[in-house]
Amino acid sequence: MLRISCPFCGVRDHSEFSYGGDASVEYPALDASESEWVEAVFQRENLDGVQFETWQHIQGCRMWIVVERDTRTHAIHSVRPAHDGIAQALNAEQDGVGTS
Amino acid sequence: MKPYSAWKVFVNGLTGQKGWDRAWRDPEPKAEYDVVIVGAGLHGLATAYYLAKNHDIKNIAVVEKGWLGGGNGGRNTTIVRSNYMLPGNREFYEHSLKLWENLSHDLNYNVMFSQRAHVTLLHSPAARDGAARRYNTMRLTGSDGELWDLETLKRNIPHLNYSADARFPIIGAMAQPRAGTARHDAVAWGYARGADQQGIDILQNCEVTGVERNGSTVTGLQTSRGVIRAKKVGFAVAGNTSRLWRMAELGKLPIESHKLQAFVSEPLKPLLDHVVVFGVGGAHFYISQSDKGGMVFGGDIDWYKSYAQRGNLPIVQDVAECATSILPCLGRVRLLRHWSGVMDMSMDGSPFICKTPLDNLYLNAGWNYGGFKASPASGWYFADLIANNRPDPVIADHTLDRFARGINIDERGAGPDPKLHG
């Protein structure tokens, strides 16, 4: 069992989460060319090593998170909210707690 | 090398088993081959065997980073079937099943192919309608299929959980009588011996570390046993295809590597002489009994990408729950061992046997759950592709560009998410 430290809920078993996929994939604009969409939807690096990947805490807070994980050893190096704005808000809040 | 026969078994039984030869050689790599196949799993060995047998190309090496058959060839639940529905899969898997039916004779090696029927349990009228459609399609395209009502199923497999208050009561089954199981190691050994007899070099402990290119041509492979030049190269390394693809500097693939586990129980007396599949309401489970008596079973993949050849515990619980829900008599049976293989999960659940952006490089990959049963036909058509430099019509759509062309072969209708194509 992997143990994932959800930024909102704390450390939980991975069976509470649903694996998304490669977090480095960025969807193009809606009017982008067909080949750009084929690239984003179907083509993957499929790294053997440390990769950023999305998970959803489907049986917890239901938030999407980005996990930095080694696909050979399953070691998890970092976890953060997938949404940049939420990640920044969370960081600001934690920094605030740390300095007050 | 002398052929195996019942007479030789008898004679060697009387003479202390001293009359057997090595089944295959352990040669040193030559500097150059006409064809180098990367990966001495079932697909790579079968490809080499059919290149020699069907196309008379014999200056071949099969290079393998570990030992032959030590990857997914030895990490599966040994099920053979051809109950696919979509064009592209139908003809391909049926051809494979036909090759299985004569494989022991062809290889002069007993692969213990047992056509004990593949029985998928049905739990709702909608599932029965879906099964009827699938099996009608199969029968119209030259395969065999049967729909079993509850009485027929009970007669064939009396000890399933037929309780009316089961969470998913069984209402019948769809069966493919010609499907069954085979001894997975024997398939690897049989193909290896058959290939070796035709002069093919099987180079074990020979890991590919780099791909040498001259423009759009592969000139050779850097390996842990030196550089091997090749006129043509075939990749058959499902699970690690993306790694080799990067070595060839070819970029991305429509593949993710996932783990699939398999399980075997302690040996029991004869209990189950069919392959039984249970899939409803999120359950996914398949079970058969090996000739040694162990219950061999498996379920879903581990649900997240991984290159680690070890499985995770939630799936152990999943398959145990499935096992006891359809075969409650297994409740006190102990698990003997479980293992995990790394598989190419493709974006539509179907494989690739195709040409590549490089002129003399060919790809065999993306086998998802289906690699074991496919291995004879995979080798057959991959050999044909390499020998003739054009795909047979049966594998014409098993290409990398099928996603861009919008002709996905998505048997489950799960969409472009590799983990869902179980």
Side-chain angles (χ1 to χ4, degrees), chain B residues 68-237:
Chain B
L68 68 87
N72 294 345
R75 296 167 186 267
N76 55 71
T77 45
T78 79
I79 295 168
V80 175
R81 61 186 171 89
S82 73
N83 57 354
Y84 286 74
M85 191 167 73
L86 295 182
N89 281 343
R90 278 279 340 114
E91 306 82 353
F92 178 84
Y93 286 104
E94 180 56 25
H95 183 67
S96 204
L97 183 53
K98 288 195 171 78
L99 290 173
W100 277 107
E101 287 176 323
N102 197 39
L103 196 58
S104 291
H105 291 290
D106 188 30
L107 295 175
N108 178 235
Y109 202 102
N110 186 3
V111 300
M112 297 165 78
F113 181 46
S114 161
Q115 293 178 291
R116 58 183 63 184
H118 181 274
V119 181
T120 306
L121 304 180
L122 304 174
H123 307 269
S124 70
R128 189 164 49 200
D129 291 349
R133 179 182 174 220
R134 173 175 296 251
Y135 277 62
N136 281 329
T137 306
M138 289 168 59
R139 290 160 71 138
L140 287 168
T141 48
S143 193
D144 64 321
E146 292 174 4
L147 278 179
W148 288 359
D149 61 18
L150 194 55
E151 291 313 306
T152 310
L153 180 61
K154 282 181 174 171
R155 200 164 54 245
N156 278 286
I157 315 175
H159 43 293
L160 294 174
N161 180 8
Y162 294 109
S163 162
D165 58 4
R167 174 66 184 84
F168 297 104
I170 299 167
I171 65 164
M174 57 180 185
Q176 185 178 26
R178 285 164 61 238
T181 60
R183 170 88 201 279
H184 53 191
D185 294 326
V187 185
W189 299 335
Y191 272 123
R193 177 168 167 271
D196 181 85
Q197 280 179 348
Q198 301 183 79
I200 291 164
D201 287 354
I202 300 167
L203 307 171
Q204 300 180 79
N205 298 311
C206 183
E207 180 171 5
V208 172
T209 54
V211 177
E212 295 191 345
R213 276 176 60 175
N214 180 8
S216 63
T217 308
V218 177
T219 55
L221 299 170
Q222 296 161 0
T223 76
S224 54
R225 295 174 71 174
V227 174
I228 300 174
R229 291 197 305 281
K231 295 196 178 79
K232 292 181 176 182
V233 175
F235 288 169
V237 293

Side-chain angles (χ1 to χ4, degrees), chain B residues 241-290:
Chain B
T241 308
S242 296
R243 291 178 58 205
L244 265 183
W245 204 246
R246 268 195 296 282
M247 283 183 204
E249 296 173 356
L250 289 170
K252 299 177 182 176
L253 280 172
I255 288 173
E256 270 186 12
S257 294
H258 285 257
K259 285 176 299 167
L260 179 60
Q261 300 189 52
F263 305 81
V264 64
S265 77
E266 59 187 328
L268 307 176
K269 288 185 176 179
L271 173 69
L272 189 64
D273 57 356
H274 299 79
V275 178
V276 175
V277 179
F278 171 53
V280 65
H284 184 197
F285 180 72
Y286 32 94
I287 186 166
S288 62
Q289 188 170 23
S290 78

Side-chain angles (χ1 to χ4, degrees), chain A residues 1 45 51 69 71 74, chain B residues 246 305-307 312 419:
Chain A
M1 186 78 79
E45 288 279 0
Q51 70 165 19
R69 184 178 64 99
T71 59
H74 299 166
Chain B
R246 268 195 296 282
K305 205 193 100 179
S306 172
Y307 278 93
N312 231 320
K419 68 178 182 293

Side-chain angles (χ1 to χ4, degrees), chain B residues 25 51 126 159 191 233 343 360 374 392:
Chain B
R25 297 165 296 129
L51 271 170
H159 43 293
Y191 272 123
V233 175
M343 296 167 311
N360 60 342
D392 186 278

